[in-house]
PDB file of all heavy atoms in Angstrom:
ATOM      1  N   GLU A  19     122.244 108.930  37.608  1.00 98.00           N
ATOM      2  CA  GLU A  19     121.359 108.998  36.441  1.00 98.00           C
ATOM      3  C   GLU A  19     119.932 108.592  36.822  1.00 98.00           C
ATOM      4  O   GLU A  19     118.959 109.249  36.451  1.00 98.00           O
ATOM      5  CB  GLU A  19     121.915 108.048  35.365  1.00 98.00           C
ATOM      6  CG  GLU A  19     121.421 108.315  33.976  1.00 98.00           C
ATOM      7  CD  GLU A  19     121.825 109.678  33.469  1.00 98.00           C
ATOM      8  OE1 GLU A  19     123.000 110.050  33.614  1.00 98.00           O
ATOM      9  OE2 GLU A  19     120.941 110.380  32.934  1.00 98.00           O
ATOM     10  N   LEU A  32     103.833 115.543  40.975  1.00 96.00           N
ATOM     11  CA  LEU A  32     103.424 116.543  41.971  1.00 96.00           C
ATOM     12  C   LEU A  32     103.031 117.874  41.322  1.00 96.00           C
ATOM     13  O   LEU A  32     102.560 118.786  42.002  1.00 96.00           O
ATOM     14  CB  LEU A  32     104.569 116.813  42.948  1.00 96.00           C
ATOM     15  CG  LEU A  32     104.951 115.698  43.924  1.00 96.00           C
ATOM     16  CD1 LEU A  32     106.214 116.082  44.670  1.00 96.00           C
ATOM     17  CD2 LEU A  32     103.818 115.437  44.906  1.00 96.00           C
ATOM     18  N   ARG A  40     122.900 119.220  35.330  1.00 98.00           N
ATOM     19  CA  ARG A  40     123.849 118.153  35.627  1.00 98.00           C
ATOM     20  C   ARG A  40     125.197 118.824  35.870  1.00 98.00           C
ATOM     21  O   ARG A  40     125.912 119.160  34.933  1.00 98.00           O
ATOM     22  CB  ARG A  40     123.903 117.141  34.477  1.00 98.00           C
ATOM     23  CG  ARG A  40     122.546 116.507  34.155  1.00 98.00           C
ATOM     24  CD  ARG A  40     121.884 115.870  35.381  1.00 98.00           C
ATOM     25  NE  ARG A  40     122.665 114.819  35.960  1.00 98.00           N
ATOM     26  CZ  ARG A  40     122.614 113.540  35.580  1.00 98.00           C
ATOM     27  NH1 ARG A  40     121.789 113.178  34.630  1.00 98.00           N
ATOM     28  NH2 ARG A  40     123.371 112.636  36.154  1.00 98.00           N
ATOM     29  N   GLU A  50     127.981 111.225  47.509  1.00 98.00           N
ATOM     30  CA  GLU A  50     127.357 111.073  46.193  1.00 98.00           C
ATOM     31  C   GLU A  50     126.345 109.927  46.186  1.00 98.00           C
ATOM     32  O   GLU A  50     126.575 108.933  46.873  1.00 98.00           O
ATOM     33  CB  GLU A  50     128.420 110.831  45.115  1.00 98.00           C
ATOM     34  CG  GLU A  50     129.341 112.014  44.858  1.00 98.00           C
ATOM     35  CD  GLU A  50     128.653 113.219  44.217  1.00 98.00           C
ATOM     36  OE1 GLU A  50     127.447 113.153  43.956  1.00 98.00           O
ATOM     37  OE2 GLU A  50     129.342 114.225  44.002  1.00 98.00           O
ATOM     38  N   LEU A  52     125.107 113.484  45.440  1.00 98.00           N
ATOM     39  CA  LEU A  52     124.818 114.659  46.252  1.00 98.00           C
ATOM     40  C   LEU A  52     123.964 115.604  45.420  1.00 98.00           C
ATOM     41  O   LEU A  52     124.428 116.175  44.439  1.00 98.00           O
ATOM     42  CB  LEU A  52     126.134 115.339  46.661  1.00 98.00           C
ATOM     43  CG  LEU A  52     126.091 116.758  47.220  1.00 98.00           C
ATOM     44  CD1 LEU A  52     125.175 116.858  48.437  1.00 98.00           C
ATOM     45  CD2 LEU A  52     127.492 117.214  47.624  1.00 98.00           C
ATOM     46  N   GLU A  54     121.711 118.978  44.971  1.00 98.00           N
ATOM     47  CA  GLU A  54     121.656 120.317  45.552  1.00 98.00           C
ATOM     48  C   GLU A  54     120.426 121.070  45.039  1.00 98.00           C
ATOM     49  O   GLU A  54     119.951 120.824  43.940  1.00 98.00           O
ATOM     50  CB  GLU A  54     122.920 121.111  45.190  1.00 98.00           C
ATOM     51  CG  GLU A  54     124.179 120.469  45.737  1.00 98.00           C
ATOM     52  CD  GLU A  54     125.442 121.251  45.408  1.00 98.00           C
ATOM     53  OE1 GLU A  54     125.385 122.503  45.396  1.00 98.00           O
ATOM     54  OE2 GLU A  54     126.472 120.620  45.172  1.00 98.00           O
ATOM     55  N   MET A  89     115.334 120.765  56.987  1.00 92.00           N
ATOM     56  CA  MET A  89     116.146 120.418  58.166  1.00 92.00           C
ATOM     57  C   MET A  89     115.699 119.133  58.834  1.00 92.00           C
ATOM     58  O   MET A  89     116.472 118.494  59.530  1.00 92.00           O
ATOM     59  CB  MET A  89     116.104 121.565  59.169  1.00 92.00           C
ATOM     60  CG  MET A  89     117.062 122.670  58.789  1.00 92.00           C
ATOM     61  SD  MET A  89     117.053 123.939  60.040  1.00 92.00           S
ATOM     62  CE  MET A  89     116.686 125.366  59.068  1.00 92.00           C
ATOM     63  N   SER A 115     134.770 123.310  40.756  1.00 98.00           N
ATOM     64  CA  SER A 115     134.309 121.928  40.629  1.00 98.00           C
ATOM     65  C   SER A 115     132.961 121.712  41.322  1.00 98.00           C
ATOM     66  O   SER A 115     132.813 121.972  42.506  1.00 98.00           O
ATOM     67  CB  SER A 115     135.363 121.003  41.229  1.00 98.00           C
ATOM     68  OG  SER A 115     134.991 119.670  41.070  1.00 98.00           O
ATOM     69  N   TYR A 126     131.297 128.908  32.820  1.00 98.00           N
ATOM     70  CA  TYR A 126     132.734 128.983  33.074  1.00 98.00           C
ATOM     71  C   TYR A 126     133.187 130.437  33.048  1.00 98.00           C
ATOM     72  O   TYR A 126     133.922 130.890  33.932  1.00 98.00           O
ATOM     73  CB  TYR A 126     133.478 128.158  32.028  1.00 98.00           C
ATOM     74  CG  TYR A 126     134.978 128.124  32.224  1.00 98.00           C
ATOM     75  CD1 TYR A 126     135.543 127.507  33.343  1.00 98.00           C
ATOM     76  CD2 TYR A 126     135.841 128.709  31.292  1.00 98.00           C
ATOM     77  CE1 TYR A 126     136.921 127.468  33.522  1.00 98.00           C
ATOM     78  CE2 TYR A 126     137.223 128.670  31.470  1.00 98.00           C
ATOM     79  CZ  TYR A 126     137.756 128.051  32.583  1.00 98.00           C
ATOM     80  OH  TYR A 126     139.114 128.027  32.773  1.00 98.00           O
ATOM     81  N   GLN A 129     132.389 132.477  36.052  1.00 97.00           N
ATOM     82  CA  GLN A 129     133.231 132.181  37.217  1.00 97.00           C
ATOM     83  C   GLN A 129     134.698 132.467  36.912  1.00 97.00           C
ATOM     84  O   GLN A 129     135.573 131.687  37.253  1.00 97.00           O
ATOM     85  CB  GLN A 129     133.056 130.720  37.613  1.00 97.00           C
ATOM     86  CG  GLN A 129     131.633 130.344  37.971  1.00 97.00           C
ATOM     87  CD  GLN A 129     131.531 128.853  38.243  1.00 97.00           C
ATOM     88  OE1 GLN A 129     131.832 128.400  39.343  1.00 97.00           O
ATOM     89  NE2 GLN A 129     131.157 128.076  37.248  1.00 97.00           N
ATOM     90  N   ASP A 145     157.205 136.502  29.429  1.00 98.00           N
ATOM     91  CA  ASP A 145     156.473 136.992  30.613  1.00 98.00           C
ATOM     92  C   ASP A 145     155.622 135.890  31.238  1.00 98.00           C
ATOM     93  O   ASP A 145     155.556 135.760  32.465  1.00 98.00           O
ATOM     94  CB  ASP A 145     155.544 138.150  30.225  1.00 98.00           C
ATOM     95  CG  ASP A 145     156.324 139.438  29.967  1.00 98.00           C
ATOM     96  OD1 ASP A 145     157.508 139.490  30.373  1.00 98.00           O
ATOM     97  OD2 ASP A 145     155.756 140.366  29.360  1.00 98.00           O
ATOM     98  N   ASP A 196     142.703 114.144  38.360  1.00 98.00           N
ATOM     99  CA  ASP A 196     142.703 114.520  36.943  1.00 98.00           C
ATOM    100  C   ASP A 196     141.311 114.283  36.368  1.00 98.00           C
ATOM    101  O   ASP A 196     140.771 115.117  35.643  1.00 98.00           O
ATOM    102  CB  ASP A 196     143.705 113.669  36.145  1.00 98.00           C
ATOM    103  CG  ASP A 196     145.149 113.895  36.559  1.00 98.00           C
ATOM    104  OD1 ASP A 196     145.409 114.851  37.313  1.00 98.00           O
ATOM    105  OD2 ASP A 196     146.019 113.109  36.131  1.00 98.00           O
ATOM    106  N   GLY A 210     144.360 126.230  30.318  1.00 98.00           N
ATOM    107  CA  GLY A 210     145.763 126.068  30.726  1.00 98.00           C
ATOM    108  C   GLY A 210     146.641 125.623  29.565  1.00 98.00           C
ATOM    109  O   GLY A 210     147.764 126.099  29.390  1.00 98.00           O
ATOM    110  N   ILE A 242     135.736 120.659  24.023  1.00 98.00           N
ATOM    111  CA  ILE A 242     136.691 121.147  23.015  1.00 98.00           C
ATOM    112  C   ILE A 242     135.922 121.718  21.827  1.00 98.00           C
ATOM    113  O   ILE A 242     136.219 122.811  21.338  1.00 98.00           O
ATOM    114  CB  ILE A 242     137.652 120.018  22.579  1.00 98.00           C
ATOM    115  CG1 ILE A 242     138.671 119.749  23.694  1.00 98.00           C
ATOM    116  CG2 ILE A 242     138.386 120.384  21.282  1.00 98.00           C
ATOM    117  CD1 ILE A 242     139.585 118.570  23.444  1.00 98.00           C
ATOM    118  N   ASN A 254     143.073 131.219  15.245  1.00 98.00           N
ATOM    119  CA  ASN A 254     142.873 132.608  15.657  1.00 98.00           C
ATOM    120  C   ASN A 254     142.186 132.723  17.031  1.00 98.00           C
ATOM    121  O   ASN A 254     141.103 133.293  17.163  1.00 98.00           O
ATOM    122  CB  ASN A 254     142.051 133.327  14.564  1.00 98.00           C
ATOM    123  CG  ASN A 254     142.072 134.825  14.735  1.00 98.00           C
ATOM    124  OD1 ASN A 254     142.917 135.366  15.461  1.00 98.00           O
ATOM    125  ND2 ASN A 254     141.144 135.509  14.080  1.00 98.00           N
ATOM    126  N   ASP A 257     140.707 136.077  18.479  1.00 97.00           N
ATOM    127  CA  ASP A 257     141.124 137.108  17.518  1.00 97.00           C
ATOM    128  C   ASP A 257     142.544 137.609  17.732  1.00 97.00           C
ATOM    129  O   ASP A 257     142.859 138.764  17.427  1.00 97.00           O
ATOM    130  CB  ASP A 257     140.168 138.323  17.583  1.00 97.00           C
ATOM    131  CG  ASP A 257     138.842 138.005  16.907  1.00 97.00           C
ATOM    132  OD1 ASP A 257     138.873 137.266  15.898  1.00 97.00           O
ATOM    133  OD2 ASP A 257     137.798 138.466  17.405  1.00 97.00           O
ATOM    134  N   GLY A 259     145.165 136.269  16.344  1.00 97.00           N
ATOM    135  CA  GLY A 259     146.029 135.917  15.231  1.00 97.00           C
ATOM    136  C   GLY A 259     146.839 134.661  15.510  1.00 97.00           C
ATOM    137  O   GLY A 259     147.588 134.187  14.660  1.00 97.00           O
ATOM    138  N   GLY A 290     154.540 101.468  23.692  1.00 98.00           N
ATOM    139  CA  GLY A 290     154.919 102.447  24.711  1.00 98.00           C
ATOM    140  C   GLY A 290     156.237 102.127  25.383  1.00 98.00           C
ATOM    141  O   GLY A 290     156.296 101.980  26.597  1.00 98.00           O
ATOM    142  N   VAL A 311     155.417 118.391  28.278  1.00 98.00           N
ATOM    143  CA  VAL A 311     154.529 117.350  28.790  1.00 98.00           C
ATOM    144  C   VAL A 311     154.208 117.706  30.234  1.00 98.00           C
ATOM    145  O   VAL A 311     155.107 117.798  31.070  1.00 98.00           O
ATOM    146  CB  VAL A 311     155.166 115.942  28.767  1.00 98.00           C
ATOM    147  CG1 VAL A 311     154.145 114.894  29.226  1.00 98.00           C
ATOM    148  CG2 VAL A 311     155.695 115.598  27.389  1.00 98.00           C
ATOM    149  N   GLY A 318     146.042 122.727  34.698  1.00 98.00           N
ATOM    150  CA  GLY A 318     144.883 123.380  35.297  1.00 98.00           C
ATOM    151  C   GLY A 318     145.328 124.530  36.190  1.00 98.00           C
ATOM    152  O   GLY A 318     144.786 125.641  36.133  1.00 98.00           O
ATOM    153  N   ALA A 348     141.304 107.724  49.456  1.00 98.00           N
ATOM    154  CA  ALA A 348     140.665 106.586  48.790  1.00 98.00           C
ATOM    155  C   ALA A 348     140.881 105.290  49.554  1.00 98.00           C
ATOM    156  O   ALA A 348     141.585 105.251  50.558  1.00 98.00           O
ATOM    157  CB  ALA A 348     141.233 106.454  47.376  1.00 98.00           C
ATOM    158  N   GLY A 349     140.265 104.260  49.048  1.00 98.00           N
ATOM    159  CA  GLY A 349     140.418 102.940  49.652  1.00 98.00           C
ATOM    160  C   GLY A 349     139.425 102.739  50.769  1.00 98.00           C
ATOM    161  O   GLY A 349     138.278 103.192  50.694  1.00 98.00           O
ATOM    162  N   VAL A 368     144.900 114.680  57.552  1.00 97.00           N
ATOM    163  CA  VAL A 368     144.004 114.430  56.415  1.00 97.00           C
ATOM    164  C   VAL A 368     143.128 113.207  56.699  1.00 97.00           C
ATOM    165  O   VAL A 368     141.909 113.239  56.564  1.00 97.00           O
ATOM    166  CB  VAL A 368     144.808 114.202  55.112  1.00 97.00           C
ATOM    167  CG1 VAL A 368     143.885 113.762  53.985  1.00 97.00           C
ATOM    168  CG2 VAL A 368     145.559 115.467  54.726  1.00 97.00           C
ATOM    169  N   GLU A 397     151.618 103.546  61.215  1.00 97.00           N
ATOM    170  CA  GLU A 397     151.198 104.707  61.983  1.00 97.00           C
ATOM    171  C   GLU A 397     152.351 105.620  62.401  1.00 97.00           C
ATOM    172  O   GLU A 397     152.195 106.843  62.444  1.00 97.00           O
ATOM    173  CB  GLU A 397     150.400 104.267  63.220  1.00 97.00           C
ATOM    174  CG  GLU A 397     149.895 105.476  63.977  1.00 97.00           C
ATOM    175  CD  GLU A 397     148.760 105.172  64.930  1.00 97.00           C
ATOM    176  OE1 GLU A 397     148.432 103.996  65.126  1.00 97.00           O
ATOM    177  OE2 GLU A 397     148.223 106.146  65.483  1.00 97.00           O
ATOM    178  N   ILE A 412     161.622 110.133  54.066  1.00 95.00           N
ATOM    179  CA  ILE A 412     161.267 108.848  54.687  1.00 95.00           C
ATOM    180  C   ILE A 412     161.105 107.743  53.633  1.00 95.00           C
ATOM    181  O   ILE A 412     160.451 106.729  53.853  1.00 95.00           O
ATOM    182  CB  ILE A 412     159.985 108.947  55.562  1.00 95.00           C
ATOM    183  CG1 ILE A 412     158.766 109.394  54.732  1.00 95.00           C
ATOM    184  CG2 ILE A 412     160.201 109.880  56.745  1.00 95.00           C
ATOM    185  CD1 ILE A 412     157.421 109.127  55.413  1.00 95.00           C
ATOM    186  N   VAL A 422     145.853 105.739  49.815  1.00 98.00           N
ATOM    187  CA  VAL A 422     144.999 104.550  49.911  1.00 98.00           C
ATOM    188  C   VAL A 422     145.099 103.973  51.318  1.00 98.00           C
ATOM    189  O   VAL A 422     146.185 103.649  51.792  1.00 98.00           O
ATOM    190  CB  VAL A 422     145.380 103.487  48.863  1.00 98.00           C
ATOM    191  CG1 VAL A 422     144.513 102.238  49.028  1.00 98.00           C
ATOM    192  CG2 VAL A 422     145.220 104.049  47.457  1.00 98.00           C
ATOM    193  N   THR A 450     166.103  94.449  31.844  1.00 96.00           N
ATOM    194  CA  THR A 450     165.996  93.130  32.447  1.00 96.00           C
ATOM    195  C   THR A 450     165.609  93.171  33.927  1.00 96.00           C
ATOM    196  O   THR A 450     164.766  92.394  34.364  1.00 96.00           O
ATOM    197  CB  THR A 450     167.324  92.367  32.255  1.00 96.00           C
ATOM    198  OG1 THR A 450     167.755  92.601  30.925  1.00 96.00           O
ATOM    199  CG2 THR A 450     167.137  90.883  32.488  1.00 96.00           C
ATOM    200  N   ASP A 471     163.191  78.034  52.936  1.00 96.00           N
ATOM    201  CA  ASP A 471     164.513  78.654  53.041  1.00 96.00           C
ATOM    202  C   ASP A 471     164.385  80.174  53.213  1.00 96.00           C
ATOM    203  O   ASP A 471     164.983  80.975  52.491  1.00 96.00           O
ATOM    204  CB  ASP A 471     165.311  78.328  51.760  1.00 96.00           C
ATOM    205  CG  ASP A 471     166.803  78.594  51.947  1.00 96.00           C
ATOM    206  OD1 ASP A 471     167.217  78.880  53.096  1.00 96.00           O
ATOM    207  OD2 ASP A 471     167.539  78.536  50.946  1.00 96.00           O
ATOM    208  N   LEU A 482     167.515  91.588  44.942  1.00 98.00           N
ATOM    209  CA  LEU A 482     166.683  91.823  43.772  1.00 98.00           C
ATOM    210  C   LEU A 482     166.190  93.270  43.749  1.00 98.00           C
ATOM    211  O   LEU A 482     166.212  93.947  42.721  1.00 98.00           O
ATOM    212  CB  LEU A 482     165.492  90.864  43.847  1.00 98.00           C
ATOM    213  CG  LEU A 482     164.713  90.573  42.598  1.00 98.00           C
ATOM    214  CD1 LEU A 482     165.617  89.991  41.523  1.00 98.00           C
ATOM    215  CD2 LEU A 482     163.590  89.576  42.931  1.00 98.00           C
TER     216      LEU A 482
END
Side-chain angles (χ1 to χ4, degrees):
Chain A
E19 199 62 47
L32 291 172
R40 302 306 299 273
E50 293 292 0
L52 165 56
E54 298 181 36
M89 280 184 235
S115 183
Y126 182 66
Q129 301 175 83
D145 286 345
D196 295 349
I242 286 174
N254 194 16
D257 285 325
V311 184
V368 172
E397 183 162 7
I412 60 163
V422 178
T450 317
D471 196 8
L482 199 58

